[in-house]
Amino acid sequence: MGDSYAVIAKEVMEELKSLYMNSILPVEEACSYNTFGFSPLNAGEFDSPPLVLLVGPYSAGKTTFIEHLLGKKFPGERVGPEPTTDKFCAVLHGEDERVIPGNALTVTPGTPFKGLQMFGNNFLTRFEGAQVNVDILKNLTLIDSPGVLSGEKQTLGRSYSYDDVLNWFAERSDMIILLFDVQKLDISDEMGSAIRVLQKYSDKIKVVLNKSDSISHQQLMKVYGALLWSLGKVIDTPEVTRVYIGSFWNEPLKNEDTAPLLEMEMADLLRDLAALPRMGAVRKINDIVKRIRQVRTHAVILDYLRNQMPSMFGKEKKKKELLEELEKGLVFRTVMKQYNISVGDFPDLHKFKRDIEMLDFDNLPKLKGARMLKGKRIQDMEDALNTKIPAMLNRIPGINKP
């Protein structure tokens, strides 16, 4: 069953890659989707193992968590009670154990990091890869992120947008692990900002209360409740967030009273990680479906704005009026009602306005214009969503059929 599933999953991923390149990417290019901060997907993002992103305050144990999974240290590892990991680090499989600089990693065949070139050299000098020859990395790639700092240090010391880079990784990750130190529960404004960036990927988030063996059972209950309360203030969801408690390092658990509970909780998280490769094809299909819906919405908004422009005079005045309507949410509401689009498929209003006000509205693509091949490109994307992708899902063993 395992071998046949792997073969089918690989075939489906090849079909999905071809579908994206032939039916979705042309629409993205016609709509200048990358101008709005969405880099196109590349072949490596379909061929590489699932990504697991680790996020948390400094000294929460992110790097030690990775060391625990690998069973060994990895090249370039930095561990300490002070902020030590000052780079995004991709820990991936390789026969030769070494550090790969960020610029080189973005052009390495078979890796999903080419899209990071959009953040420029300021970021790429703060990005690196660590190749490690362990079996788990044949099925997973781990992303160690810099610890979230408090106050101005979070932004002043960084020559790139941390939130934008975090969003790029989160969008492509199969799992996002939020780690908190049981002794340092305060969620700073900066950590809250990072969590809000991740909130739209809430289905991927796992929260870990790390170093839980350092306190008593009674203290653990209080800390657990306090963390849920703090998360409730920044994660806007009616569901209670699942929190795993444990101590992820290569040492025996310190507290015998809580050890059985922590061992079960840690085993649960490790099982979830082990299941990622099996669900990789389904997760990628889900991400492509989400992307198709967002690209279609993007194209419809541009078409609406273009059609409101006068053919001869008063273009600048009309553009100003449309930008004011956009800021008030009137454009999105009109498009939503006209095309019956879900509110969740719309981009962030303020970011969209900031990006589009620099463009020439008279040159925006029409849904049935030449750049869209008179509507054929949108139709190809609709066919992918309604016919081809459901057929792919039906081929994957273990997927519940309607």
Side-chain angles (χ1 to χ4, degrees), residues 156-291:
L156 292 184
R158 288 176 174 148
S159 53
Y160 62 90
S161 171
Y162 177 87
D163 285 356
D164 287 347
V165 172
L166 187 66
N167 183 73
W168 189 95
F169 278 110
E171 182 184 5
R172 288 157 175 81
S173 293
D174 292 73
M175 181 185 290
I176 301 166
I177 298 179
L178 277 178
L179 281 104
F180 293 94
D181 184 339
V182 73
Q183 304 280 5
K184 303 172 185 175
L185 269 196
D186 180 49
I187 298 180
S188 65
D189 291 343
E190 291 71 27
M191 187 65 203
S193 174
I195 293 174
R196 279 186 283 273
V197 169
L198 301 175
Q199 184 171 319
K200 55 187 168 183
Y201 312 107
S202 58
D203 58 316
K204 304 179 183 181
I205 294 177
K206 308 286 185 183
V207 179
V208 173
L209 187 56
N210 201 19
K211 308 179 185 180
S212 296
D213 62 339
S214 61
I215 58 177
S216 69
H217 197 288
Q218 183 182 22
Q219 289 172 320
L220 183 57
M221 291 175 63
K222 292 178 180 178
V223 169
Y224 182 88
L227 178 59
L228 285 178
W229 182 81
S230 298
L231 288 172
K233 293 199 297 180
V234 290
I235 298 181
D236 185 18
T237 174
E239 293 84 12
V240 177
T241 305
R242 168 71 159 99
V243 177
Y244 299 81
I245 54 177
S247 187
F248 293 90
W249 65 329
N250 293 328
E251 297 291 339
L253 296 174
K254 297 177 182 177
N255 190 329
E256 293 183 1
D257 292 337
T258 59
L261 174 63
L262 299 194
E263 286 169 355
M264 287 189 291
E265 289 279 299
M266 292 162 69
D268 283 349
L269 181 59
L270 294 178
R271 272 194 296 271
D272 289 344
L273 281 167
L276 281 183
R278 179 172 177 79
M279 297 302 295
V282 178
R283 171 68 73 181
K284 183 57 72 176
I285 288 174
N286 182 64
D287 289 345
I288 291 296
V289 168
K290 187 186 300 183
R291 193 173 181 102

Side-chain angles (χ1 to χ4, degrees), residues 27-316:
V27 178
E28 292 186 13
E29 291 172 342
C31 295
S32 302
Y33 200 49
N34 64 320
T35 305
F36 293 79
F38 299 95
S39 62
L41 304 181
N42 61 78
E45 295 184 47
F46 293 90
D47 301 334
S48 58
L51 291 182
V52 177
L53 172 64
L54 287 93
V55 181
Y58 76 89
S59 192
K62 298 182 296 296
T63 304
T64 308
F65 181 94
I66 293 176
E67 183 184 316
H68 176 75
L69 290 182
L70 303 182
K72 61 189 291 187
K73 295 183 181 296
F74 58 90
E77 174 185 328
R78 304 170 189 87
V79 177
E82 74 286 356
T84 48
T85 302
D86 62 345
K87 298 181 178 182
F88 280 86
C89 179
V91 185
L92 63 165
H93 183 263
E95 299 295 330
D96 301 322
E97 301 203 350
R98 60 194 175 101
V99 172
I100 306 174
N103 278 289
L105 191 56
T106 61
V107 295
T108 301
T111 64
F113 306 117
K114 183 179 179 181
L116 288 169
Q117 293 174 348
M118 66 183 287
F119 297 110
N121 200 55
N122 283 340
F123 166 70
L124 293 178
T125 57
R126 314 308 303 168
F127 174 54
E128 65 184 20
Q131 280 194 173
V132 190
N133 189 14
V134 295
D135 287 342
I136 190 174
L137 294 179
K138 292 178 181 178
N139 300 312
L140 294 174
T141 294
L142 306 169
I143 308 295
D144 192 8
S145 64
V148 178
L149 305 174
S150 299
E152 293 182 340
K153 292 180 287 184
Q154 173 69 1
T155 52
L156 292 184
R158 288 176 174 148
S159 53
Y160 62 90
S161 171
Y162 177 87
D163 285 356
D164 287 347
V165 172
L166 187 66
N167 183 73
W168 189 95
F169 278 110
E171 182 184 5
R172 288 157 175 81
S173 293
D174 292 73
M175 181 185 290
I176 301 166
I177 298 179
L178 277 178
L179 281 104
F180 293 94
D181 184 339
V182 73
Q183 304 280 5
K184 303 172 185 175
L185 269 196
D186 180 49
I187 298 180
S188 65
D189 291 343
E190 291 71 27
M191 187 65 203
S193 174
I195 293 174
R196 279 186 283 273
V197 169
L198 301 175
Q199 184 171 319
K200 55 187 168 183
Y201 312 107
S202 58
D203 58 316
K204 304 179 183 181
I205 294 177
K206 308 286 185 183
V207 179
V208 173
L209 187 56
N210 201 19
K211 308 179 185 180
S212 296
D213 62 339
S214 61
I215 58 177
S216 69
H217 197 288
Q218 183 182 22
Q219 289 172 320
L220 183 57
M221 291 175 63
K222 292 178 180 178
V223 169
Y224 182 88
L227 178 59
L228 285 178
W229 182 81
S230 298
L231 288 172
K233 293 199 297 180
V234 290
I235 298 181
D236 185 18
T237 174
E239 293 84 12
V240 177
T241 305
R242 168 71 159 99
V243 177
Y244 299 81
I245 54 177
S247 187
F248 293 90
W249 65 329
N250 293 328
E251 297 291 339
L253 296 174
K254 297 177 182 177
N255 190 329
E256 293 183 1
D257 292 337
T258 59
L261 174 63
L262 299 194
E263 286 169 355
M264 287 189 291
E265 289 279 299
M266 292 162 69
D268 283 349
L269 181 59
L270 294 178
R271 272 194 296 271
D272 289 344
L273 281 167
L276 281 183
R278 179 172 177 79
M279 297 302 295
V282 178
R283 171 68 73 181
K284 183 57 72 176
I285 288 174
N286 182 64
D287 289 345
I288 291 296
V289 168
K290 187 186 300 183
R291 193 173 181 102
I292 289 174
R293 295 171 66 92
Q294 291 170 342
V295 171
R296 177 179 178 271
T297 302
H298 180 85
V300 165
I301 295 170
L302 298 191
D303 176 76
Y304 173 82
L305 293 173
R306 171 69 185 274
N307 287 329
Q308 304 308 304
M309 294 296 290
S311 56
M312 294 291 287
F313 306 109
K315 293 184 178 182
E316 282 303 313

